[in-house]
Amino acid sequence: LLTCQEIVNLVTEYLEDSMNPQLRVSFEKHVTICPACRAFLSQMRETIRISGQIRSESLSPQTRDALLETFRDWNFEA
Amino acid sequence: MKAPKFLGVGSVGLFSGYAWPTPKSSRLGPWVTVGGALKPGSNGIHACSRSSLVDWIDDELWVVELGGAIIEADGLIIARRGRLVQRVSAWNSATALAFATDCVLRVRDHAVHSLHTVGRSQEAAAIQRVQEPIPLQSIAIDVLEGLSGKARSAVEYVADAVELLEGGRPDCYRHHLVPAAIPTPGALAANLGFVAAHAAGSILGGDARTYEEASHAERLLQTHWLARHLARHL
């Protein structure tokens, strides 16, 4: 069975459906038996849902600047 | 074909997030159909075999009718379409908590066995006498004093299992932490089922093979428990 740390490491792959079926079933078996990972997966989904609703024009100038600053040096190739 | 299917509270799939349309009055639920290639864990109407129920425990248990193409993998049954036939009312909060409590008591039994093997019969008897989780944890914590090695680890599993049953985390009782949010009864049952299997493997097993054997034997006991309580409904 996967560990909680592995669930954290694999969650993006899981949500993007880029896992092989066997690993995906192992992932789901772990989440089923682990209340903390149930909460974690649910929070990740909710975060994606909410952040997907944010439009750039809805941000205050300060928030937009802070986000741009945060991601300015982000290495997207990593 | 018909097969069992666990869903979360409100008939919502734990992974799909899909709120299943439920049967109304005497009618079956409407068919739900998926397109594309069937893929375990990813695409298709998922149900499970009776022998794999323990791997997928959740708050609601339904009988689902499956149709169209059907594949089976890892104890899962994946179909092109499915509809809810009937909720298994015998699986409810009380049953889920009874299952979880039974798992805790079997962790206790494994610890009792471990204590006997190191000659700690008095401590074994003290733990074996208790049937209620909270007093069991108190006695397990008392008994921990003076234990070491595998026997200590076995008794720690008992205290941890009770803590999990109460919605806490294994380290809560050591630090007197109060659980932030208590999982649903279905989530607790799923968790304690795994914990009992892991504890059995760790306490009774010695290496990877014997761990697996003991863990598997515990899962079989759980499967039989579910069969005893639910078989006539499935």
Side-chain angles (χ1 to χ4, degrees), chain A residues 25-53:
Chain A
V25 171
S26 296
F27 184 100
E28 293 187 344
K29 276 187 178 175
H30 176 104
V31 172
T32 301
I33 59 94
C34 179
C37 288
R38 279 185 183 224
F40 171 66
L41 182 62
S42 167
Q43 286 165 359
M44 287 297 287
R45 284 194 159 129
E46 191 63 4
T47 302
I48 292 166
R49 189 188 67 77
I50 292 169
S51 55
Q53 293 173 343

Side-chain angles (χ1 to χ4, degrees), chain A residues 5-17 19 27 40-41 44-45 48:
Chain A
Q5 185 57 53
E6 287 170 321
I7 294 298
V8 171
N9 295 341
L10 289 167
V11 70
T12 306
E13 211 177 316
Y14 175 79
L15 292 169
E16 290 176 350
D17 196 12
M19 249 176 205
F27 184 100
F40 171 66
L41 182 62
M44 287 297 287
R45 284 194 159 129
I48 292 166

Side-chain angles (χ1 to χ4, degrees), chain A residues 1 14 17 21-22 24-25 28-29 31-33 35-36 38 41 45, chain B residues 14-15 39 41-42 55-58 76 169 183 187 190-191 194 219:
Chain A
L1 201 70
Y14 175 79
D17 196 12
Q22 202 172 6
R24 198 171 173 86
V25 171
E28 293 187 344
K29 276 187 178 175
V31 172
T32 301
I33 59 94
R38 279 185 183 224
L41 182 62
R45 284 194 159 129
Chain B
L14 174 60
F15 300 107
K39 197 171 152 191
S42 185
D55 289 328
W56 303 104
I57 289 175
D58 213 328
L76 288 169
R169 296 180 62 82
N191 182 229
F194 167 75
R219 279 303 214 185

Side-chain angles (χ1 to χ4, degrees), chain B residues 78-89:
Chain B
I78 303 123
R80 174 68 59 206
R81 65 176 188 270
R83 61 178 171 180
L84 298 182
V85 174
Q86 188 179 20
R87 182 167 174 187
V88 178
S89 57

Side-chain angles (χ1 to χ4, degrees), chain B residues 32-49:
Chain B
V32 176
T33 305
V34 298
L38 299 179
K39 197 171 152 191
S42 185
N43 191 49
I45 305 300
H46 287 64
C48 58
S49 62

Side-chain angles (χ1 to χ4, degrees), chain B residues 118 120 144-153:
Chain B
V118 294
R120 307 296 289 254
L144 275 175
E145 291 288 325
L147 287 178
S148 61
K150 207 164 179 178
R152 181 182 176 86
S153 170

